[in-house]
């Protein structure tokens, strides 16, 4: 397993405003071993106090009692379904007073005031096995989603806005090893971000010789954000972008443990009167030593005007209101001077994920520096300590360093005390979109305990 899937798996712990996480990641010691065709079931309930800002300019810090019931069913490695949602009951209502708007005077209104919010009940639906079945589907939070190599949709997180709780979906279909189709939606209940990519294995199309397989690829991708959510203050301008590119293998070891590719392509916004075209060229690497997985990219980019690569990035759900900072124009209106940029991404995984008695760690770092003096970064770390009773995760997203910076940070620690009892604590920043398009920054923190049962 590469570092990237593990980071995505661990990032399911990172539902920023909820200060809660999936309980399965700290399994009880007496959990039954799975049989390939056996069903397993898990029930859990966790609770604790949560501090969350009012989300208004100059507003105070409210205190909630949060309860999170969870039910999960899995069948082998090809099917899983998890349902549950945090129920936040307002205990302390700081100015401005909001409790009168809550359901029953207690249940937080902003968690359930759009159709998209009801999709948060779906915490995970997975059908098929990634890279091992013809088709693979999953739905739930998108916390570090990358479409293809990520030149349009890169490390995207649909949970950054604390009052908007959509469930996204992604589908991958492999057509006889010749073509791979990926499609994704950021919100299954609203007209929001939709994206897709077609990847063709040119070697398999033009040759019957094995030496040409999996060495030359052509790629076309497209992404469109309709910008629409039921509440008008959350709706933003639509934005579309397209990209074509490809890669060529420079080196592939016989065992497939090390691969080096040259990559390149061009992209543009396609919803503007005068499109600005950008181009990129660089290298990607993938390696596996048995004890360590590594993958990464190093690219030079030319971009500017209305288009840049990674347009739908990790902070996009905030950037669609304010591209950088808290009161800047939205990314749909952002216009950069033409510039060169250097982009680097590195994903590392250390240890044996299946050996619960040893440390397993995954780290991911991505950064882009623009010659106009701006830098964007995204850092993720996940640790599973020996014994698999303690998990720690952290993520830091920064956009606009050197101009108008905006920071999003979250950290969480979970520890199983008994086979049926675990503790959790989490904290970080939250940003609340305002009707005028600005963002209000605040801080959240929570802690508590949970009980679970599986069979």
């Amino acid at each position: 397993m590469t570092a990237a899937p593990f980071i995505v798996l661990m990032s399911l712990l990172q539902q920023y405003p909820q200060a809660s996480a999936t309980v399965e990641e700290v399994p009880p010691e007496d959990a039954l071993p799975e049989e390939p065709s056996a069903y397993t079931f898990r029930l859990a309930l966790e609770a604790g106090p949560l501090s969350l800002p009012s989300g208004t300019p100059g507003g105070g810090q409210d205190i909630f009692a949060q309860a999170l019931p969870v039910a999960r069913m899995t069948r082998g490695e090809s099917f899983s379904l998890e349902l549950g949602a945090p129920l936040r009951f307002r205990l302390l209502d700081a100015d401005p007073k909001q409790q009168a708007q809550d359901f029953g005077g207690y249940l937080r209104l902003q968690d359930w005031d759009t159709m998209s919010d009801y999709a948060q009940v779906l915490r995970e639906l997975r059908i098929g096995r990634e890279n091992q079945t013809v088709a693979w589907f999953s739905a739930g939070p998108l916390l570090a989603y990358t479409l293809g190599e990520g030149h349009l949709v890169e490390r995207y997180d649909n949970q950054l806005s604390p009052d908007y709780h959509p469930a996204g979906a992604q589908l991958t279909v492999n057509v006889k090893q010749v073509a791979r189709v990926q499609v994704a939606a950021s919100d299954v209940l609203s007209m929001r971000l939709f994206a897709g990519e077609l990847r063709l294995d040119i070697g398999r199309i033009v040759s019957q010789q094995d030496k040409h397989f999996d060495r030359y690829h052509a790629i076309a991708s497209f992404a469109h954000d309709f910008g629409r959510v039921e509440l008008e203050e959350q709706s933003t301008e639509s934005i579309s972008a397209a990209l074509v590119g490809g890669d060529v293998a420079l080196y592939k070891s016989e065992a497939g443990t090390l691969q080096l590719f040259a990559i390149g392509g061009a992209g543009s916004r396609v919803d503007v009167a005068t499109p600005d075209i950008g181009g990129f060229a660089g290298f990607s690497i993938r390696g596996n030593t048995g004890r360590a997985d590594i993958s990464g990219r190093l690219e030079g980019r030319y971009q500017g005007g209305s288009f840049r690569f990674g347009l739908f990035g990790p902070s996009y759900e905030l950037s669609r209101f304010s591209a950088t900072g808290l009161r800047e124009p939205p990314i749909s209106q952002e216009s950069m001077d033409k510039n060169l940029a250097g982009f680097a991404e590195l994903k590392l995984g250390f240890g044996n994920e299946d050996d619960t008695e040893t440390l397993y760690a995954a780290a991911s770092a991505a950064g882009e520096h623009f010659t106009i003096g701006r830098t964007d970064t995204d850092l993720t770390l996940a640790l599973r300590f020996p014994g698999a009773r303690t998990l720690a995760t952290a993520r830091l997203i920064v956009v606009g360093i050197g101009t108008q910076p905006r920071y999003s940070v979250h950290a969480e620690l979970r520890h199983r005390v008994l086979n049926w009892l675990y503790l959790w604590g989490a904290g970080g920043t939250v940003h609340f979109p305002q009707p005028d398009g600005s963002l209000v920054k605040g801080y959240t923190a929570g802690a508590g305990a949970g009980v679970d049962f599986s069979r």
Side-chain angles (χ1 to χ4, degrees):
M1 183 176 182
T2 65
F6 181 74
I7 288 175
V8 173
L9 177 66
M10 297 297 286
S11 69
L12 290 175
L13 303 179
Q14 299 178 5
Q15 298 195 32
Y16 298 84
Q18 297 176 5
S20 62
T22 52
V23 298
E24 297 75 30
E25 299 307 321
V26 187
E29 289 183 346
D30 58 355
L32 298 177
E34 284 193 25
E35 298 177 6
S37 60
Y39 284 97
T40 61
F41 301 89
R42 184 184 298 273
L43 297 176
L45 175 65
E46 66 179 52
L50 173 69
S51 174
L52 193 66
S54 66
T56 58
Q61 200 80 7
D62 296 341
I63 303 297
F64 296 84
Q66 176 174 277
L68 173 62
V70 175
R72 183 180 181 88
M73 177 178 69
T74 62
R75 186 177 189 271
E77 298 182 356
S78 297
F79 175 82
S80 64
L81 173 65
E82 181 176 294
L83 303 176
L87 305 174
R88 295 188 279 205
F89 300 93
R90 199 183 306 267
L91 301 181
L92 176 62
D93 187 13
D95 291 331
K97 302 296 183 181
Q98 298 172 302
Q99 195 160 18
Q101 307 170 8
D102 293 338
F103 295 106
Y106 290 99
L107 183 63
R108 189 173 185 264
L109 171 69
Q110 294 88 342
D111 293 336
W112 304 98
D113 59 354
T114 70
M115 182 65 71
S116 297
D117 287 333
Y118 288 90
Q120 67 182 306
V121 174
L122 179 61
R123 292 172 61 86
E124 182 187 21
L125 171 61
R126 178 174 50 83
I127 302 172
R129 300 176 64 183
E130 189 173 13
N131 298 325
Q132 298 187 32
T133 54
V134 173
W136 177 75
F137 173 83
S138 70
L142 298 180
L143 299 173
Y145 177 72
T146 294
L147 177 69
E149 291 279 4
H151 293 105
L152 286 184
V153 182
E154 181 177 61
R155 304 165 69 99
Y156 166 77
D157 187 334
N158 69 351
Q159 302 290 306
L160 277 185
S161 179
D163 294 337
Y164 175 51
H165 313 283
Q170 52 182 308
L171 171 67
T172 300
V173 179
N174 296 299
V175 183
K176 297 182 179 180
Q177 296 184 305
V178 173
R180 184 186 70 187
V181 179
Q182 288 182 281
V183 293
S186 69
D187 188 335
V188 296
L189 297 180
S190 286
M191 299 298 288
R192 279 297 323 283
L193 176 60
F194 292 86
E197 178 178 278
L198 172 64
R199 180 183 180 92
L200 298 175
D201 189 329
I202 303 301
R204 293 180 183 273
I205 294 175
V206 303
S207 174
Q208 300 297 318
Q209 301 181 41
D210 292 354
K211 65 180 181 179
H212 296 301
F213 294 173
D214 304 317
R215 299 185 67 89
Y216 319 101
H217 300 95
I219 301 166
S221 54
F222 178 80
H224 176 71
D225 181 8
F226 289 90
R228 280 179 271 185
V229 181
E230 288 80 0
L231 288 184
E232 183 177 350
E233 60 264 28
Q234 289 188 332
S235 297
T236 51
E237 294 183 29
S238 63
I239 182 172
S240 302
L243 180 139
V244 293
D247 61 38
V248 176
L250 301 178
Y251 175 80
K252 292 187 68 175
S253 63
E254 292 186 7
T257 56
L258 180 62
Q259 304 177 33
L260 176 65
F261 282 80
I263 57 178
S268 177
R269 286 274 299 273
V270 295
D271 60 335
V272 293
T274 305
D276 294 296
I277 298 175
F280 72 92
F283 303 93
S284 67
I285 187 172
R286 304 179 186 93
N288 188 336
T289 67
R291 288 292 298 172
D293 284 333
I294 180 173
S295 64
R297 288 184 290 151
L298 183 63
E299 296 176 5
R301 297 173 170 179
Y302 172 75
Q303 56 199 344
S306 61
F307 176 78
R308 65 181 178 85
F309 294 99
L311 193 62
F312 306 95
S315 190
Y316 177 73
E317 283 302 316
L318 302 180
S319 294
R320 68 189 185 96
F321 296 95
S322 178
T324 59
L326 303 178
R327 295 182 175 274
E328 302 303 310
I331 196 169
S332 60
Q333 299 176 13
E334 183 183 42
S335 181
M336 282 187 175
D337 293 336
K338 294 290 185 178
N339 67 90
L340 297 175
F343 174 85
E345 181 181 48
L346 182 64
K347 299 176 182 179
L348 298 172
F350 295 100
N352 186 346
E353 184 195 2
D354 297 324
D355 184 0
T356 59
E357 297 306 313
T358 61
L359 175 70
Y360 192 88
S364 176
E368 183 172 16
H369 177 71
F370 305 84
T371 54
I372 58 174
R374 168 178 164 178
T375 302
D376 296 346
T377 63
D378 180 19
L379 310 174
T380 304
L381 176 66
L383 298 172
R384 186 193 67 196
F385 292 91
R389 299 180 70 87
T390 305
L391 293 177
T393 63
R395 188 173 189 183
L396 171 65
I397 302 170
V398 190
V399 297
I401 301 174
T403 56
Q404 297 290 330
R406 182 178 63 241
Y407 302 82
S408 296
V409 60
H410 178 83
E412 183 161 342
L413 180 68
R414 306 180 72 80
H415 177 71
R416 185 169 292 277
V417 181
L418 302 172
N419 290 345
W420 52 272
L421 174 67
Y422 60 92
L423 305 176
W424 62 270
T429 61
V430 284
H431 293 83
F432 296 83
Q434 303 299 303
D436 63 359
S438 64
L439 299 171
V440 168
K441 181 180 178 180
Y443 300 90
T444 182
V451 296
D452 61 351
F453 165 79
S454 62
R455 58 167 301 171

